[in-house]
Amino acid sequence: SQQGEEDPQALSIQEGENATMNCSYKTSINNLQWYRQNSGRGLVHLILIRSNEREKHSGRLRVTLDTSKKSSSLLITASRAADTASYFCATGNFNKFYFGSGTKLNVKP
Amino acid sequence: KAGVTQTPRYLIKTRGQQVTLSCSPISGHRSVSWYQQTPGQGLQFLFEYFSETQRNKGNFPGRFSGRQFSNSRSEMNVSTLELGDSALYLCASSTAGLAGVSSYNEQFFGPGTRLTVL
């Protein structure tokens, strides 16, 4: 299975701190995507990183990809209470994606 | 543009019944995917439709089926419901498959249909 696995499963931090989540996957990929899900709702696409990229930034988000270790990390800087959500990495192609189990982030105000 | 819409948002059924869920993609998107999300199994891919054809399929029993209409709207059907089918069913649309569109595509998710099987 290509399914990614996030680490840690849960993370609790104070507002203003940075949050780092890791994702490991099993097979070769074309790209890896990160999504956010607020409790019981749909997923929101955050960022996509291609297999030939090592790092990508989008606002307060920074994603790294290490294809030799089959891992990726998502860093959220200067976290806010509104960042409280579950975060998933997804691998796959076209529209058949495999999602990891997710990291539940709680940002305390 | 309006986002992906799913109806109904909540549904309660009993074991043995069947259910049909509906998804309307973003205008212009012809690819629609379905996912099942449960606390135990996480997010699992069900199937994907493009231009009324099923292009990809996940590892679900034949009780789970779907279809796509000419206007790209999609429905999924679950027959002979089991307790384990209780889940959040998510639909996502994208431009994947359109001429000139890279396979590096973003999926736009709907809010989901919460199905409870009693």
Side-chain angles (χ1 to χ4, degrees):
Chain A
S1 165
Q2 290 182 303
Q3 192 165 19
E5 294 296 329
E6 283 90 345
D7 168 60
Q9 288 188 321
L11 183 60
S12 186
I13 59 174
Q14 291 292 141
E15 208 165 27
E17 294 181 337
N18 294 342
T20 299
M21 288 158 265
N22 302 297
C23 166
S24 60
Y25 56 91
K26 295 179 182 177
T27 61
S28 297
I29 60 171
N30 291 322
N31 66 82
L32 184 144
Q33 305 187 35
W34 284 90
Y35 286 82
R36 183 186 76 227
Q37 183 180 37
N38 290 88
S39 181
R41 310 186 83 170
L43 280 76
V44 174
H45 183 267
L46 295 176
I47 196 165
L48 178 153
I49 186 165
R50 301 183 184 193
S51 59
N52 61 353
E53 297 176 314
R54 290 296 167 258
E55 188 170 312
K56 201 162 183 180
H57 297 255
S58 177
R60 294 184 295 113
L61 305 180
R62 173 178 166 251
V63 168
T64 62
L65 179 64
D66 187 336
T67 53
S68 66
K69 294 182 180 177
K70 291 187 169 58
S71 67
S72 173
S73 68
L74 170 67
L75 168 68
I76 304 174
T77 59
S79 63
R80 305 166 181 167
D83 295 328
T84 294
S86 291
Y87 292 82
F88 297 87
C89 66
T91 60
N93 51 51
F94 284 100
N95 278 350
K96 184 174 184 179
F97 286 100
Y98 297 92
F99 285 84
S101 51
T103 291
K104 192 169 285 190
L105 174 66
N106 179 34
V107 181
K108 293 175 281 188
Chain B
K1 275 186 182 178
V4 177
T5 57
Q6 291 187 246
T7 56
R9 292 292 311 279
Y10 301 92
L11 205 49
I12 299 176
K13 292 284 188 178
T14 56
R15 277 182 300 175
Q17 287 187 309
Q18 75 162 22
V19 67
T20 299
L21 312 182
S22 180
C23 171
S24 292
I26 291 172
S27 178
H29 288 192
R30 286 163 58 185
S31 173
V32 174
S33 297
W34 288 89
Y35 293 85
Q36 180 197 64
Q37 185 177 29
T38 60
Q41 299 298 316
L43 274 155
Q44 292 188 287
F45 174 80
L46 279 156
F47 29 65
E48 185 242 355
Y49 286 87
F50 178 79
S51 290
E52 302 177 65
T53 301
Q54 186 181 87
R55 285 199 304 192
N56 289 297
K57 191 177 188 306
N59 296 323
F60 278 82
R63 298 185 299 108
F64 292 81
S65 63
R67 59 177 175 169
Q68 186 180 35
F69 301 94
S70 59
N71 61 358
S72 295
R73 189 176 71 85
S74 177
E75 288 182 346
M76 70 161 280
N77 184 76
V78 188
S79 62
T80 319
L81 284 166
E82 301 177 359
L83 295 179
D85 296 333
S86 293
L88 180 67
Y89 289 88
L90 293 163
C91 158
S93 76
S94 83
T95 55
L98 292 177
V101 174
S102 163
S103 64
Y104 299 140
N105 61 291
E106 174 184 346
Q107 291 190 87
F108 294 85
F109 281 81
T113 294
R114 173 76 61 186
L115 172 65
T116 302
V117 182
L118 302 175

